[in-house]
Amino acid sequence: MNTDAVKVLPGRYCNSLTEYSRFVTREVNIGDVPMGGNNPIRIQSMTTTDTMDTIGTVEQSIRMVDAGCEYVRITAPSIKEAQNLAEIKKQLRARGYTVPLVADIHFTPNAAEVAARIVEKVRVNPGNYADKKKFDQIDYTDLEYQGELERIFQKFTPLVKVCKEYGTAMRIGTNHGSLSDRIMSRYGDTPQGMVESAMEFMRMCEQLNFYNLVISMKSSNPQVMVQAYRLLVETMVAEGMNYPLHLGVTEAGDGEDGRIKSAVGIGTLLEDGLGDTVRVSLTEEPEAEAPVAIELVRRYTLREKAKGERQKAEAPGENKNLSPLTFDLSPSKHNPYEYKKRETYEANAFIGGHLVPRVVVDLSKKNLKDPAVLNEAGYLYSPLLDKYNMAEQSVDFVYLADELPSFTLPGNLKQLYNYNVWQKLADKTNCHPVFTLQEYISDVDRSSKLNLVRLKPTDIDSDAFGSIQLDNSLVLVLETDALHGMAEQRFFFFKMEELGLDVPVIVKRSYLFEVESRESGVGSQEEQTQDLELKTQNLQLYASADLGALLVDGFGDGIWIDAPELPTNVITSTAFGILQATRSRISKTEYISCPSCGRTLFDLMVTTQMIRSRTSHLKGLKIGIMGCIVNGPGEMADADYGYVGSGTDKITLYRGKEAVKKNISSANALDELINIIKGDGNWIDAVQE
Ligand code: SF4
């Protein structure tokens, strides 16, 4: 495997690691909605109807546009579907919808060439455009590799010529799970392989003087996805290219999991100014995707606006935009293209070192007279037995500030008190102090086991920080209220690395949500429920972007989300969801379910819920649920088991990448899947509560 082929200069993938700055890409024309350059970050999604169902597809497209989609993608598995795009387009235009359409192509160059004459953009997957996955050649000589590229060039050229002639744009969309044998042989299924897979096609386009390109690097693993996009930018820039980026996490799943996983991947890149269009893939109705994407993007639109206003106030008339092809150098030795957990010491077996990241929640404003207050933090209280049972997601620390509970807390739950209160506790068992920086450096009592010190990222340059006495009871709680707080916190980690400090750090973020004021006071019950749902979703998106962006780089020994308007169970579940999505701490079953499309052979939403209802207690297992056998097995990436549609009412079950039961009836496919899991010794019975 030759991984030297893609040269990497660590840190050089965005304009700035410290200040929000959008990476300005080449503007690409897609119908009358251009992308890239200084255009807004565009929102898009994909239909799930059968492309031959013209009315169904038109109506679903309209619902998507009404929900905020600026491009609509439609699958074209063969020539007949590609041809029907003309009818779909005609009917949409007749109803006054001018939304640009995108044809999604896998394996079928002939369908692509038809579609490119009809729609505004075609998406090709370089892993399967001109290749079938055969796995029958695992080693390619340089000559054979070159021969393959020439063969692909011949097959790909006609499509490029059609796109040039018709003014059609093209997305070169690499997927982690469907790389060609050629790429796998040389790079493996790595971010380097993903990047090179797209670069080969991009170079061919440039050779043919075609530049109307958009690029994506999707994976169901946000860590891989983030590394691949970063590496893509680095590689593009080195070759003088700056094509727009289409961001997405594939097979993200549904509900909370889907939102968190998408926001970790997409949000991490948006934080660094990367991304020109976003598609959030949820196993839900496609019109449910746009509002999530819009909310995710809105934060950065506001951030850019705030930055523009600040710059105008500082230096009127001066354009401080960096040239799109130059970057400042990273201040860190940190390699952004590889996951490496920051090395820290283990603070007396509580946090840091090789321990999984810890979760802290604030209960100081809750009813501390009722033991059931801990239910929402994952400690299920039984009044009958007067005892607690731990749930799968039990927090590690509760912050009680200056408040003393009137009941005994479970022995494995650590309590955090403000220093002044902790100092006066008669029994300090399981209780630990939280200091301000000034308190800690003063001559005070300290715990022999664990001392937490709250500070801001900028404190690292202060005299007070310089006079901290280091010992392995010390843990820092890093807080920020900056608009671009993730970058501030990340810079703190860079500096800690430079200073050679291995103190464990808990990353803390606070969120207050504004909901538009109502004329009629607090609003009806229904409105209040809607407000709560909106705030919950926004917490999932914002915290996933802020904390996920640090965790995917290996920063953070613990997380502390503060959101006083939201119930503790929402905060607990969001925190564990972020740790799961960043693969830092596994606390539940992971479902890698595709968003469905015109190829889907069963109702994905219903099936996902059915599989979830019987397997959600299998902590740590990854189950792929894919709508079709054409792309499903490739897209499942690293799932342990797969449930894949292989015909009408027919399912094929996978163990890893191997099909172990083919074309079985969907009526008993879930039972069969459970039998396979049991046979492998990976089954446990669910605990009845
Ligand atoms: S795996 Fe799902 S989304 Fe992907 S092509 Fe198949 S049915 Fe469509």
Side-chain angles (χ1 to χ4, degrees), residues 459-524:
D459 287 333
I460 200 163
D461 294 323
S462 67
D463 292 342
F465 187 84
S467 55
I468 283 185
Q469 248 182 22
L470 298 174
D471 69 55
N472 67 356
S473 70
L474 173 67
V475 170
L476 302 176
V477 177
L478 185 64
E479 308 174 293
T480 176
D481 50 14
L483 197 59
H484 195 38
M486 184 288 294
E488 270 205 2
Q489 289 179 321
R490 181 173 58 190
F491 199 69
F492 177 90
F493 283 109
F494 290 158
K495 285 206 158 185
M496 291 284 279
E497 263 179 4
E498 261 179 21
L499 295 168
L501 296 177
D502 57 357
V503 186
V505 176
I506 294 171
V507 185
K508 180 167 184 271
R509 290 298 300 253
S510 300
Y511 300 94
L512 280 175
F513 299 102
E514 282 169 29
V515 170
E516 284 176 24
S517 59
R518 303 184 188 288
E519 282 176 17
S520 56
V522 288
S524 66

Side-chain angles (χ1 to χ4, degrees), residues 251 594-597 599-600 604 626-628 631-632 635:
E251 286 78 40
C594 81
S596 87
C597 72
R599 290 182 190 264
T600 311
L604 255 155
M626 299 289 143
C628 77
N631 292 324
E635 307 293 324

Side-chain angles (χ1 to χ4, degrees), residues 262-280:
S262 299
V264 165
I266 297 168
T268 295
L269 295 162
L270 290 172
E271 283 284 323
D272 279 332
L274 303 182
D276 298 280
T277 180
V278 164
R279 192 254 168 131
V280 171

Side-chain angles (χ1 to χ4, degrees), residues 614-615 641 653 655 660-661 668-683:
R614 292 182 60 192
T615 58
Y641 296 98
L653 300 175
R655 180 190 291 114
V660 285
K661 292 249 174 189
N668 47 13
L670 179 53
D671 289 333
E672 293 282 357
L673 175 67
I674 291 171
N675 285 339
I676 294 169
I677 298 173
K678 283 182 176 166
D680 292 347
N682 288 332
W683 180 265

Side-chain angles (χ1 to χ4, degrees), residues 242-523:
N242 62 339
Y243 293 110
L245 302 176
H246 164 125
L247 305 186
V249 173
T250 51
E251 286 78 40
D254 59 356
E256 179 193 64
D257 288 352
R259 282 159 180 76
I260 290 178
K261 209 173 185 187
S262 299
V264 165
I266 297 168
T268 295
L269 295 162
L270 290 172
E271 283 284 323
D272 279 332
L274 303 182
D276 298 280
T277 180
V278 164
R279 192 254 168 131
V280 171
S281 304
L282 299 174
T283 310
E284 297 177 20
E285 293 297 341
E287 55 267 34
E289 294 179 349
V292 180
I294 289 168
E295 189 53 44
L296 201 47
V297 165
R298 192 170 70 94
R299 260 185 127 198
Y300 302 93
T301 310
L302 294 174
R303 205 171 284 184
E304 199 168 25
K305 200 166 143 214
K307 184 182 165 197
E309 281 163 9
R310 205 179 56 240
Q311 283 181 343
K312 229 196 274 166
E314 281 168 3
E318 190 183 327
N319 181 2
K320 288 191 178 173
N321 270 350
L322 289 169
S323 142
L325 296 182
T326 59
F327 298 122
D328 64 359
L329 274 170
S330 160
S332 160
K333 296 182 222 98
H334 180 75
N335 182 349
Y337 309 113
E338 258 176 37
Y339 177 80
K340 185 167 179 287
K341 188 169 185 297
R342 175 179 166 253
E343 285 179 22
T344 56
Y345 57 71
E346 196 176 294
N348 293 321
F350 290 110
I351 184 168
H354 294 294
L355 298 172
V356 291
R358 299 315 199 196
V359 174
V360 186
V361 295
D362 183 347
L363 293 185
S364 63
K365 294 179 190 70
K366 305 289 176 188
N367 178 7
L368 294 177
K369 293 194 174 74
D370 180 5
V373 72
L374 292 181
N375 287 353
E376 296 197 345
Y379 295 82
L380 310 173
Y381 180 66
S382 158
L384 205 63
L385 304 172
D386 188 26
K387 76 181 248 275
Y388 294 94
N389 284 315
M390 279 178 85
E392 291 295 0
Q393 299 184 338
S394 306
V395 307
D396 307 285
F397 296 91
V398 284
Y399 174 63
L400 300 170
D402 299 333
E403 308 300 321
L404 299 178
S406 54
F407 56 90
T408 308
L409 275 77
N412 42 0
L413 177 60
K414 321 284 176 300
Q415 302 159 48
L416 303 175
Y417 292 94
N418 288 341
Y419 164 64
N420 287 331
V421 169
W422 172 83
Q423 196 187 21
K424 295 182 195 120
L425 292 176
D427 180 3
K428 293 189 169 64
T429 314
N430 256 339
C431 301
H432 307 282
V434 180
F435 297 88
T436 64
L437 184 52
Q438 283 306 326
E439 278 170 347
Y440 191 71
I441 60 165
S442 311
D443 195 12
V444 289
D445 288 343
R446 290 184 190 139
S447 160
S448 59
K449 293 190 178 134
L450 185 67
N451 298 287
L452 277 73
V453 178
R454 296 170 83 142
L455 77 178
K456 292 205 171 348
T458 45
D459 287 333
I460 200 163
D461 294 323
S462 67
D463 292 342
F465 187 84
S467 55
I468 283 185
Q469 248 182 22
L470 298 174
D471 69 55
N472 67 356
S473 70
L474 173 67
V475 170
L476 302 176
V477 177
L478 185 64
E479 308 174 293
T480 176
D481 50 14
L483 197 59
H484 195 38
M486 184 288 294
E488 270 205 2
Q489 289 179 321
R490 181 173 58 190
F491 199 69
F492 177 90
F493 283 109
F494 290 158
K495 285 206 158 185
M496 291 284 279
E497 263 179 4
E498 261 179 21
L499 295 168
L501 296 177
D502 57 357
V503 186
V505 176
I506 294 171
V507 185
K508 180 167 184 271
R509 290 298 300 253
S510 300
Y511 300 94
L512 280 175
F513 299 102
E514 282 169 29
V515 170
E516 284 176 24
S517 59
R518 303 184 188 288
E519 282 176 17
S520 56
V522 288

Side-chain angles (χ1 to χ4, degrees), residues 6-9 11-15 22-25 191 195 198-199 202 215-217 225-247 269 272-276 324-327 337:
V6 180
K7 289 271 178 252
V8 174
L9 294 172
R12 302 196 62 172
Y13 65 88
C14 59
N15 287 340
R22 193 164 161 208
F23 172 57
V24 182
T25 54
V195 169
M199 289 301 298
M202 290 153 71
I215 319 295
S216 65
M217 295 276 121
M225 172 260 191
V226 166
Q227 289 165 3
Y229 276 99
R230 288 175 174 174
L231 192 53
L232 170 72
V233 176
E234 160 83 29
T235 312
M236 275 203 304
V237 169
E239 298 195 21
M241 302 176 188
N242 62 339
Y243 293 110
L245 302 176
H246 164 125
L247 305 186
L269 295 162
D272 279 332
L274 303 182
D276 298 280
L325 296 182
T326 59
F327 298 122
Y337 309 113

